[in-house]
Amino acid sequence: AMVQVAGLAAVGTSLFLVDRIGRRPILLSGIAMMIVADAVLVAVFARDVEGSGAHLVGFGGVLLFIVGFSFGFGSLVWV
């Protein structure tokens, strides 16, 4: 549920900002968030460590990817 709430907040933020800053900066920001999220997930899965907060960092990576996608490509396609 937290992932969907974060995605909804990202869509609302994107739609609010699209007329103020334009599509290109929003798309580039979304792409940057997705790249950082992918790097976090690669690091988490490459370490293959049980416990020590690895699951929370992995969840943060998934959450960041969903927010980045919803902020950029997910919302601006429909505007």
Side-chain angles (χ1 to χ4, degrees), residues 9-54:
V11 168
T13 304
S14 177
L15 293 178
F16 179 73
L17 292 175
V18 71
D19 288 333
R20 288 173 174 71
I21 63 174
R23 286 180 174 86
R24 183 176 170 89
I26 291 174
L27 286 172
L28 291 175
S29 299
I31 291 169
M33 282 189 260
M34 288 189 290
I35 290 171
V36 169
D38 285 338
V40 167
L41 289 171
V42 165
V44 167
F45 286 117
R47 289 187 60 201
D48 194 30
V49 176
E50 293 286 329
S52 71

Side-chain angles (χ1 to χ4, degrees), residues 3 6-7 10 29-41 56-71:
V3 172
S29 299
I31 291 169
M33 282 189 260
M34 288 189 290
I35 290 171
V36 169
D38 285 338
V40 167
L41 289 171
L56 290 176
V57 175
F59 178 72
V62 170
L63 186 67
L64 183 61
F65 188 89
I66 295 297
V67 167
F69 179 80
S70 297
F71 185 70

